[in-house]
Amino acid sequence: MTKPYVRLNKDDVAVLLVDHQTGLLSLVRDIDPDKFKNNVLAVADIAKYFKLPTILTTSFENGPNGPLVPELKEAFPDAPYIARPGQINAWDNEEFVKAVKATGKKQLLIAGVVTEVCVAFPALSAIEAGFDVFVVTDASGTFNEVTRHSAWDRMSAAGAQLMTWFGVACELHRDWRNDVEGLGTLFSNHIPDYRNLITSYNTVTSGK
Amino acid sequence: MTKPYVRLNKDDVAVLLVDHQTGLLSLVRDIDPDKFKNNVLAVADIAKYFKLPTILTTSFENGPNGPLVPELKEAFPDAPYIARPGQINAWDNEEFVKAVKATGKKQLLIAGVVTEVCVAFPALSAIEAGFDVFVVTDASGTFNEVTRHSAWDRMSAAGAQLMTWFGVACELHRDWRNDVEGLGTLFSNHIPDYRNLITSYNTVTSGK
Amino acid sequence: MTKPYVRLNKDDVAVLLVDHQTGLLSLVRDIDPDKFKNNVLAVADIAKYFKLPTILTTSFENGPNGPLVPELKEAFPDAPYIARPGQINAWDNEEFVKAVKATGKKQLLIAGVVTEVCVAFPALSAIEAGFDVFVVTDASGTFNEVTRHSAWDRMSAAGAQLMTWFGVACELHRDWRNDVEGLGTLFSNHIPDYRNLITSYNTVTSGK
Amino acid sequence: MTKPYVRLNKDDVAVLLVDHQTGLLSLVRDIDPDKFKNNVLAVADIAKYFKLPTILTTSFENGPNGPLVPELKEAFPDAPYIARPGQINAWDNEEFVKAVKATGKKQLLIAGVVTEVCVAFPALSAIEAGFDVFVVTDASGTFNEVTRHSAWDRMSAAGAQLMTWFGVACELHRDWRNDVEGLGTLFSNHIPDYRNLITSYNTVTSGK
Amino acid sequence: MTKPYVRLNKDDVAVLLVDHQTGLLSLVRDIDPDKFKNNVLAVADIAKYFKLPTILTTSFENGPNGPLVPELKEAFPDAPYIARPGQINAWDNEEFVKAVKATGKKQLLIAGVVTEVCVAFPALSAIEAGFDVFVVTDASGTFNEVTRHSAWDRMSAAGAQLMTWFGVACELHRDWRNDVEGLGTLFSNHIPDYRNLITSYNTVTSGK
Amino acid sequence: MTKPYVRLNKDDVAVLLVDHQTGLLSLVRDIDPDKFKNNVLAVADIAKYFKLPTILTTSFENGPNGPLVPELKEAFPDAPYIARPGQINAWDNEEFVKAVKATGKKQLLIAGVVTEVCVAFPALSAIEAGFDVFVVTDASGTFNEVTRHSAWDRMSAAGAQLMTWFGVACELHRDWRNDVEGLGTLFSNHIPDYRNLITSYNTVTSGK
Amino acid sequence: MTKPYVRLNKDDVAVLLVDHQTGLLSLVRDIDPDKFKNNVLAVADIAKYFKLPTILTTSFENGPNGPLVPELKEAFPDAPYIARPGQINAWDNEEFVKAVKATGKKQLLIAGVVTEVCVAFPALSAIEAGFDVFVVTDASGTFNEVTRHSAWDRMSAAGAQLMTWFGVACELHRDWRNDVEGLGTLFSNHIPDYRNLITSYNTVTSGK
Amino acid sequence: MTKPYVRLNKDDVAVLLVDHQTGLLSLVRDIDPDKFKNNVLAVADIAKYFKLPTILTTSFENGPNGPLVPELKEAFPDAPYIARPGQINAWDNEEFVKAVKATGKKQLLIAGVVTEVCVAFPALSAIEAGFDVFVVTDASGTFNEVTRHSAWDRMSAAGAQLMTWFGVACELHRDWRNDVEGLGTLFSNHIPDYRNLITSYNTVTSGK
């Protein structure tokens, strides 16, 4: 009667980054811009660190929506990049779906702008298509809390799991012993409090 | 075990605008008046743009509740207009239900004032009657966040999908190529940030 | 798969007011005291207006928890009044359950202090016992938003319907024509904005 | 179709306190530190008061995450204490699961830092393993409200019951007559408003 | 270099209630309606309790602004009542200024709707005319916090003292021994927490 | 020792609108976009209604900052328009100061984006130059509340008066009898609550 | 033209704790109870640590206001304790003023409940009497933010310096070398984050 | 009677960065960590860009307070660095004051952790010593809004000017033509919205 625990498995995950474009980002007002930028780049770092196949897509990038933020382009120079000619729901774009299926993964991590459209539409379609969908809520932005919580409710009711980037990283990593240095660096780069803990600790232990 | 993805289909949608009356609007305090007015008029523009059959109804309009806001009357001069003589749940009014059924549509978009009554009651009744119900949460207002979230919980648990006007417009439009100009104008008229993006873009590309 | 629309029916409703005691009320910090007092008295007025059988109960009233607020005692001089000798969950008190069953009603409206205990425990027990439970969320108070939302989640997941007093009054009344004066007075006494609408309207129409 | 009322039973409860470490606590920003400290110590007092078997665990305590807060160590000198060598999900640590099973209890109360990882992961695993899971939301902390509500949604959807420490104490105690003094002291030590009620009451009744 | 302590003296105070009209009140959104109504009526009770000369005034009451709230009319049946024919700043109305001067008082307590206009304008004019001005900030309402704090800054910089009704009552009363019963009743009627303290206390001491 | 009451006098006021440009507006996050747009246009309507000389200026409009919002250009086709070639403080631009002085007005109403720069700098300079400065705080936007309140403190300490557009309109108009229709229309166009009051009133009095 | 820097000097400071009574504390709603209790006890610890003469006073403690919180009584067994028979402004009580003057100190640290009355009145009176007044804002509580900020404005305008307990401790201590252990313990006992820093540090350096 | 406009002049400014240490930063809870880190680094970039003499100082860095954040050390390798042996007010350290005076600058920009101590104390001392003090409020952090606003009030009343980093950069730069590229880069690196504007603009104009 309840959702089973579908656990992220790094061997079975693909990442879909949808419409993080310089124009559209000005619409995001439910998360502070400094924090939101950090969250999105953290997801990118996760994808790279765990070598997760990643797919980039944009909506109408040659107009007011603006180009994909350059940091994402640079992070995934070889990723499938689908500049959608018009489809609002990325899942309505055949090339996009083909790219997703080509990864051979069953678990999809989705983040994008704006949450109730660019994230929710492909999330709902992917669930319908049999995928396990994990929404990275803090790397997905929208106009305000009413739009956010409406979108969350719709996606959760349909079976999507709501996660945030830190939880995603931890669930993928499973065990610190797999690579302390790597995960620690990722956290240090995206969580100032964690970076401070590490600096304090290293300073004391190194006798500096 | 989860709700299926019932997707808005512009050929199968009717819009129900319930009790957006000048007196009742003074009760709405969970959304700022400037924003709320904008959201309601955005829904009206969506209904007109997509030529969705629209039904207007009011409760006791010849008393303190006040008349329907004039902008809605003017937007839908030919729409069925049911001034309910007393029924609080619009669905208890036969004429209203008849008007809904006369549209022949299965998907109902509902917005109104106040959320937990004028929206929730017909939403719950319509679900019971077999319709697919989509609540436009940001064009529905109420007293405060406690009343809002209680109403959302009750409607969501009963199977209503919670959406906001921007998501509704996008899900109905499906593809920008169906009409870039039209959807862009709608967004420009109701999202200042989007209007600014368009102005900036046009200014640069027109060489002005 | 979703909860059916169980609609409040004034012939089938009993009201349970649990532990609105002068000491315990100092624990309520998720709703402002002026508003909370108003909400609780509104529920009392609803119970009296619709002649709903009402049951009062208190926990340890001869100690720091303090007596029931006098307004409630006065409102229901003949109601069953169960001063529980120790049971925290009112439903664990046989006299209380007997009183509930003696009403012969199947729908229970519950409000109390604090939400996650005095409301949630009997609500969950009553659902288990086969009743339809409606929680009046804005006449139920608790320590903060974390305790409130945790309690709401637990009760909603178990099948309780979350409502607020205004929605309750409207769903019970069904049709303004049943008594315009009565319901209008109730709203006027508990919603300053509504009172103002009525005063403005009456002033103009009476030519004063 | 709804979750049944699984009621906490003090004879069938074990408490899992996960990663309340001095370093990790600096990450908690969704609850004020004064209140959070109080909530965690209240859970500890509950565990001791009701003599609930309690299990302590930490993640990487010899690094930046820091040691378990000393108050918890001192409160449970004889409790199983699993300093996990690397597993992020405590349930992935065999010793931890063995300790849980050794308690012979079916109901698990879980609190920890941070909510979406150290609480959610073992909560989801324990549900999968057939336990009844109760999350103590106000003794579990995380980065912000987005991470909190995403975690709550995921756990609730999987069947966890969201509770707070005050509700836990009340549901375990059942009846004040079991020990008025004991429960009163626990509340007095962790709820300033309650302490004030008791002081006022005692002052008047003692004629001081 | 700092403002001297001009202390309210009940023999030298007049109260000015400006534009608490049923229509204008719908503009007040910086204080919750339940609380705001309570605050305004508390000021009225203070004026009556301390027998302070009180002046009522309205702006355009025969139009959309609506009539003065009836409670104020009833509370001060014999007070000067100036229905201003058009002046927005009450101080621009000669009859109003004459009424103020006729009280012979030098200290003016001002409350009204909306703060930055109906309160600030006469406050600034009265200071200029040599009066000591005390603004009852919590019985004065306006659109939002930006308008409120701008108005406060302007009035404070000009020399107005910002007070709230509870402080006003206390500064006027000076000593509980002047009348315990009277002041206690006033507080009990307008502060639910205080009422509860009194009820708890009386219950215990009366042995009930 | 306190600021004197310098009252806006429509014959002695000039309006300075500084850098309301389509790009810079995306930086404004202390006021919701719907409301902010409304506030800025309200100031424009005030300037036109009271025939106040108005000066427009922009910073680097041929770059990312974007053009002035078209609504302002259209509202003031004949106003001095100073596209500053680089000066951040408009007062450092001689042409701008010359235009201000050419108005012959001593009272300056300033609004702009962002508050702590485009508003505060010319406000401080103008005070130094002997002008009476009134900041329209709700038509001036900035990054967040920290930047806003720091800017307000600096300007207020320097002698600027903080006002909002509604107060400005009222102080300029002085008396409704000067033109009920005109001011009412201005309010109706920019305050939904006021518009609703008027519609309700007109509906009743017209017998519709 | 600005206030000079009057710096706290531990040899010239007396502490006035006004009306922290168990009943009155239920009125405090602008600071969370856990935090407020902590702040008040921190001030008590400061007074004891720096051996500052401290004066306790209460208002009507044999009635609903309740007794002084026992922790304060126990902390200062030998302090002057003035149970005022009725004066609301403690400074109106001769015995209180005599006790203040008997300390021979010129700098007064004041904290109490509620801010706008029990703190503001004696603060304003003491300034008038020539004392340097420092308000400990976070150990002073009141109904809400409107009452708080009105009280702060009135006191600041009159020349009071607004401080919080941490700043007070630091300004009194001047130099960590005066006693690292002592001040560190005080902070550790009242700032969970600081306690965690110390525990982390000690753990690492002690090689545990 | 009001503060004169003391304008930042890049030839007369020194920057004081006080106690941005890895341990102390965990105390900062009035600004989100992502944003706060960004603000502090922005001030560092400003100091470097405008070649402002900068002084670093720490409190007890070999203990729980932790070392200066490495980014600041690296940014100013040749700056005076005063590791204070115990003085809480940096101005009490002779070496620090000597370093300040050695810069020969009269305008001091101060930022630090925590605001009411590490910023306010030296700010007040520096004003007393005849410097013009500008506090960078958004690069100064503290426990909560009560401590922040108390500190702001004390500093502002003493004559400090409250600014934020963006305003500081703009007031120092005066004119974009001095270096468009440089200032643009600084903004692009610290304001995601600005970076997006630039990227959008460059993309369109470069024809990409």
Side-chain angles (χ1 to χ4, degrees), chain D residues 150-183:
Chain D
S150 299
W152 284 18
D153 185 89
R154 195 183 191 205
M155 293 190 287
S156 175
Q161 297 204 53
L162 305 187
M163 296 189 71
T164 43
W165 76 259
F166 184 73
V168 166
C170 290
E171 192 155 305
L172 288 167
H173 200 62
R174 297 285 170 95
D175 195 310
W176 275 96
R177 290 167 300 185
N178 290 329
D179 178 11
V180 173
E181 185 74 16
L183 193 66

Side-chain angles (χ1 to χ4, degrees), chain C residues 34-73:
Chain C
D34 297 306
K35 181 189 284 294
F36 188 63
K37 181 180 175 182
N38 181 57
N39 293 348
V40 173
L41 297 183
V43 172
D45 278 0
I46 287 169
K48 288 168 63 180
Y49 177 71
F50 291 104
K51 299 190 172 51
L52 308 176
T54 299
I55 298 170
L56 304 174
T57 181
T58 57
S59 166
F60 246 144
E61 65 179 40
N62 295 320
N65 291 353
L68 190 67
V69 291
E71 289 89 344
L72 291 184
K73 270 193 216 165

Side-chain angles (χ1 to χ4, degrees), chain G residues 16-21 25 28 36 40 109-120 135-142:
Chain G
L16 316 183
L17 299 179
V18 186
D19 301 354
H20 290 100
Q21 295 167 251
L25 281 163
V28 175
F36 188 63
V40 172
L109 269 178
I110 309 183
V113 170
V114 296
T115 312
E116 72 273 28
V117 172
C118 307
V119 177
V135 174
V136 193
T137 54
D138 57 356
S140 300
T142 180

Side-chain angles (χ1 to χ4, degrees), chain A residues 4-50:
Chain A
Y5 181 17
V6 179
R7 194 171 173 175
L8 284 169
N9 174 349
K10 74 177 153 52
D11 297 327
D12 200 16
V13 175
V15 177
L16 315 183
L17 299 179
V18 186
D19 302 354
H20 291 99
Q21 296 166 250
T22 57
L24 292 175
L25 281 163
S26 78
L27 305 180
V28 175
R29 286 173 180 269
D30 69 327
I31 306 187
D32 185 86
D34 296 307
K35 183 190 284 293
F36 188 62
K37 180 180 176 182
N38 181 56
N39 293 347
V40 173
L41 298 183
V43 172
D45 277 1
I46 287 169
K48 288 168 63 181
Y49 177 71
F50 291 104

Side-chain angles (χ1 to χ4, degrees), chain H residues 67-171:
Chain H
L68 190 67
V69 290
E71 289 88 344
L72 292 184
K73 268 192 216 163
E74 287 155 21
F76 304 101
D78 304 322
Y81 182 104
I82 292 100
R84 305 193 310 279
Q87 301 92 344
I88 294 177
N89 181 345
W91 208 265
D92 285 346
N93 180 296
E94 285 184 26
E95 193 187 350
F96 180 80
V97 175
K98 207 181 302 178
V100 173
K101 291 189 173 160
T103 65
K105 309 301 186 188
K106 174 123 193 295
Q107 301 184 333
L108 304 182
L109 270 178
I110 309 183
V113 171
V114 297
T115 312
E116 73 273 29
V117 172
C118 307
V119 177
F121 292 1
L124 294 166
S125 293
I127 291 170
E128 203 179 33
F131 290 84
D132 291 320
V133 169
F134 302 78
V135 174
V136 193
T137 54
D138 58 356
S140 301
T142 179
F143 299 97
N144 51 56
E145 298 222 341
V146 171
T147 55
R148 180 208 286 168
H149 287 290
S150 299
W152 284 18
D153 185 89
R154 196 184 189 204
M155 293 190 288
S156 175
Q161 297 204 52
L162 306 185
M163 295 188 71
T164 42
W165 75 259
F166 185 73
V168 166
C170 290
E171 192 155 305

Side-chain angles (χ1 to χ4, degrees), chain D residues 131-149:
Chain D
F131 290 85
D132 291 321
V133 170
F134 301 78
V135 175
V136 193
T137 54
D138 57 355
S140 300
T142 179
F143 300 96
N144 52 56
E145 300 222 339
V146 171
T147 54
R148 181 207 285 167
H149 287 291

Side-chain angles (χ1 to χ4, degrees), chain E residues 15 17 37-54 56 71-72 74-76 109 136 139 165-166 168-169 172-173 179 182-191 195:
Chain E
V15 177
L17 299 179
K37 180 180 176 182
N38 181 57
N39 292 348
V40 173
L41 296 184
V43 173
D45 278 1
I46 287 170
K48 288 169 62 181
Y49 177 71
F50 290 104
K51 301 191 170 51
L52 308 176
T54 299
L56 305 174
E71 289 89 343
L72 292 184
E74 286 156 22
F76 304 100
L109 270 177
V136 193
W165 76 259
F166 184 73
V168 166
L172 287 167
H173 200 61
D179 177 11
L183 192 66
T185 301
L186 198 155
F187 290 170
S188 177
N189 286 344
H190 293 288
I191 307 175
R195 185 189 206 87

